């Protein structure tokens, strides 16, 4: 059994060994750039943890881990174009640095690079690995489309929201772990269980993100506190409040959407959250998904001791205050 | 042996049978839209002709043919964004109709669809099919990047230009035919020969496009005659003229780049082409690539009679006046 930090080292080592073509330079430099911006490499690390869980060979899983991390970073390049984002991990985004056209095209070729990585898994598992990889990639695109569409809709329901975050972020965590299971020659039903673990953990993680944005420790939370409130972002908290609020409170909320005084706006909307116990309701929803995740993990017929590292990492992810 | 028109029917039938998901509608409608705009379907048809040449099963090759046509149409969506093109095959481009963000994302998910198609080839040839498909996709992206970069450069050499058109368009024709060979279980060296045939034919075709733009029959040529001259496009003709022109004629040419009178501009630049025998030189270059193509085809150890349909189609492609 490897610890998450040991597995992370394998991931970082493998990333540093990827060789991209050098010509045309402007096509490939953005790829090296975004891959070198860091990040927690949660997805490939979780993939390797799934390999370890099913007693597979870590080294054999590196092509799948690189495929997932490369695909994830490709989506960041294209998402940043769509969101018109100037910064990614504190650095210029690719489209800011190289222009939109090159960012589109570097993203495209990066997806080809991801496909090349996944094609390097053992040929005996190539077909199921590709099926899982493609289904995952498709889900992520669908999630991003829904996220964009929800910005312009005022009638997003909570089930729609959960489905959006599932597709946009949780499917990739589930897919990563399922790929790990496939590489380790786990049984299909075990691969599905670890997928369910990853997907439900991903949804719980995203719900926690919504909660921490408002109620996290401002000193530990990496982003502007209550940034979602300022941006009128349709999070679980806001959608739940809209669902429960009286006509009067709903009108108050709508009024706050155009409040230009951020401090005042945060205070008023947080007060509404308190009145309707939105934090508690969101925490309960998050715990429901966490329970689903652990329930799937428990069903995997492997001694509980082998699951300890995955549980430890999941707890670390979920017990953050930021 | 099937005729190209019979194979085209198989291609059109298979395209009409593709089922895309329906949700989110705005993500998948652009895919159905661009796939339904038509086009000559040259690449998948050539793929099936290669299958036929090597006595393979046409039906088994349809996933590869659909992968190629889907990938090609995905590149059209993204290229049209980069070129800011309002029309594609006489209809609104995807980004004009649905907006740039959806066009980026629909293109992305369309590439996933292409990957799903190629994953459906027989598992016994999955790995080589993927390797060829990914290498092809990568080449096309590199070609598009070079094409964009050349617009802003004044020192593009002819070998660089040939390499750009090779990557941007010829690699896809070569890759299509190689995929056909792989599906038909041709030997690797035969697959490489049919690749060389397709790639060199693709370069010859593109050079002919440059020639026809200026010297084609205006009544038969589908586009504005001499559109490349009006746009100062760096074609083989222009680059060859720049290579050969005296200092004086070079200055004349530069002067014409800013001539706003299109008729006058076309006349002056065409005169320069005549003076330096640019048409003849371009035709010679085109024939060199055509010779390379046929030479590769001849080396394939298959009775010449089996090659007749491919040769007929290649001749049709090359003997157009438009």
């Amino acid at each position: 059994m490897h610890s998450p930090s040991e597995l992370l080292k394998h991931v970082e080592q493998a990333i540093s060994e990827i060789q991209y073509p050098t010509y045309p330079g402007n096509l490939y430099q953005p790829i090296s750039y975004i891959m070198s911006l860091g990040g927690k490499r949660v997805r490939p690390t979780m993939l390797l943890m799934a390999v370890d869980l099913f007693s597979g060979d870590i080294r054999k899983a590196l092509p799948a881990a690189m495929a997932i991390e490369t695909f994830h970073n490709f989506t960041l390049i294209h998402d940043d174009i769509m969101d018109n984002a100037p910064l990614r991990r504190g650095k210029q985004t690719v489209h800011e640095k190289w222009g939109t056209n090159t960012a589109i095209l570097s993203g495209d070729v990066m997806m080809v690079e991801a496909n090349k990585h996944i094609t390097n898994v053992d040929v005996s598992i190539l077909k199921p690995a590709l099926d899982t990889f493609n289904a995952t990639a498709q889900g992520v695109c669908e999630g991003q489309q829904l996220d964009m569409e929800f910005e312009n809709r005022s009638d997003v329901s909570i089930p729609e929201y959960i489905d959006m975050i599932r597709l946009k972020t949780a499917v990739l965590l589930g897919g990563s772990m399922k790929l790990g299971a496939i590489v380790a020659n786990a049984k299909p039903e075990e691969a599905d269980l670890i997928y369910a673990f990853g997907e439900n953990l991903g949804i719980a993680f995203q719900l926690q993100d919504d909660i921490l944005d408002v109620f996290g420790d401002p000193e530990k939370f990496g982003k502007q506190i209550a940034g979602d409130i300022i941006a009128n972002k349709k999070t679980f908290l806001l959608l739940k409040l809209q669902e429960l609020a009286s006509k009067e409170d709903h009108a108050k909320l709508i009024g706050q959407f155009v409040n230009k005084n951020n401090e005042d706006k945060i205070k008023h909307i947080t007060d509404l959250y308190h009145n309707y116990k939105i934090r508690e309701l969101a925490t309960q929803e998050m715990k429901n998904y966490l329970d689903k995740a652990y329930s799937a993990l428990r069903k995997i017929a492997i001694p509980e001791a082998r699951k300890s590292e995955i549980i430890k990492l999941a707890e670390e992810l979920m017990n953050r205050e930021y």
Side-chain angles (χ1 to χ4, degrees), chain A:
Chain A
M1 291 291 287
H2 299 77
S3 70
S5 63
E6 282 175 295
L7 296 175
L8 177 60
K9 269 184 210 155
H10 281 279
V11 168
E12 292 291 2
Q13 179 66 25
I15 290 173
S16 74
E17 284 169 9
I18 300 175
Q19 301 258 357
Y20 299 108
T22 53
Y23 178 80
N26 281 334
L27 187 64
Y28 290 107
Q29 279 153 19
I31 302 183
S32 309
Y33 174 77
I34 189 114
M35 289 296 282
S36 73
L37 288 186
K40 294 187 295 293
R41 318 289 191 195
V42 173
R43 296 157 197 83
T45 303
M46 287 296 245
L47 188 153
L48 296 186
M49 294 196 79
V51 176
D52 223 12
L53 177 71
F54 294 109
S55 307
D57 182 343
I58 297 301
R59 281 162 311 166
K60 276 194 170 180
L62 289 174
M66 293 304 98
I68 286 288
E69 187 63 11
T70 303
F71 174 80
H72 171 60
N73 279 272
F74 140 68
T75 66
L76 299 183
I77 294 181
H78 279 194
D79 284 6
D80 284 342
I81 301 172
M82 296 179 226
D83 299 343
N84 210 5
L87 295 176
R88 164 68 59 187
R89 293 177 181 139
K91 298 275 169 73
Q92 269 191 301
T93 46
V94 168
H95 65 99
E96 282 281 327
K97 207 169 150 81
W98 279 275
T100 299
N101 283 357
T102 293
I104 293 174
L105 203 54
S106 285
D108 291 347
V109 86
M110 201 164 174
M111 190 155 159
V112 179
E113 289 291 329
N115 292 333
K116 285 165 67 184
H117 283 301
I118 195 69
T119 303
N120 285 330
V121 298
D122 195 278
V123 74
S124 64
I125 52 133
L126 183 53
K127 169 78 171 143
L130 285 164
D131 287 341
T132 296
F133 185 71
N134 290 333
T136 302
Q138 181 151 21
V140 173
C141 292
E142 292 175 355
Q144 169 69 4
Q145 176 69 20
L146 294 174
D147 195 18
M148 292 197 300
E149 289 181 9
F150 288 1
E151 278 180 34
N152 304 311
R153 274 181 51 192
S154 57
D155 60 345
V156 178
S157 72
I158 286 183
E160 281 181 308
Y161 176 74
I162 297 283
D163 193 49
M164 183 276 283
I165 61 174
R166 182 183 71 79
L167 288 164
K168 187 169 173 174
T169 70
V171 155
L172 189 54
L173 199 57
S176 299
M177 300 196 84
K178 185 171 176 179
L179 275 173
I182 290 169
V183 171
N185 292 309
K187 290 179 206 142
E189 55 273 25
E190 290 177 328
D192 288 341
L193 285 169
I194 200 74
Y195 176 88
F197 170 76
E199 189 186 85
N200 285 298
L201 182 67
I203 296 172
F205 186 86
Q206 199 56 47
L207 288 170
Q208 196 195 30
D209 226 46
D210 288 359
I211 298 167
L212 288 174
D213 178 80
V214 180
F215 302 105
D217 185 332
E219 293 198 5
K220 293 180 185 167
F221 195 65
K223 312 181 228 178
Q224 181 178 30
I225 202 76
D228 290 348
I229 290 183
I230 296 168
N232 299 330
K233 204 175 155 208
K234 292 183 191 84
T235 65
F236 181 88
L237 308 185
L238 184 61
L239 296 172
K240 197 72 192 172
L241 178 61
Q242 286 182 315
E243 188 185 293
L244 299 178
S246 66
K247 214 170 171 180
E248 196 185 330
D249 283 336
H250 203 269
K252 267 191 209 165
L253 178 65
I254 303 290
Q256 287 303 321
F257 285 163
V258 292
N259 187 348
K260 299 266 184 245
N261 180 337
N262 287 341
E263 227 173 294
D264 189 57
K265 178 177 181 177
I266 293 169
K267 191 201 165 305
H268 275 94
I269 294 187
T270 310
D271 280 350
L272 286 168
Y273 285 162
H274 279 302
N275 295 347
Y276 287 91
K277 298 194 184 307
I278 300 297
R279 182 184 185 170
E280 292 76 2
L281 291 167
T283 304
Q284 189 52 53
E285 186 86 359
M286 178 193 83
K287 283 188 178 156
N288 288 348
Y289 283 99
L290 211 50
D291 285 347
K292 284 189 199 182
Y294 286 127
S295 158
L297 188 64
R298 267 194 305 274
K299 284 187 196 143
I300 297 173
I302 281 177
E304 291 303 307
R306 274 206 89 78
K307 299 174 184 169
S308 63
E309 294 289 355
I310 281 184
I311 292 171
K312 220 192 298 174
L313 182 60
E315 281 176 353
E316 266 174 44
L317 281 172
M318 297 307 300
N319 286 335
R320 65 203 166 116
E321 290 168 62
Y322 51 91

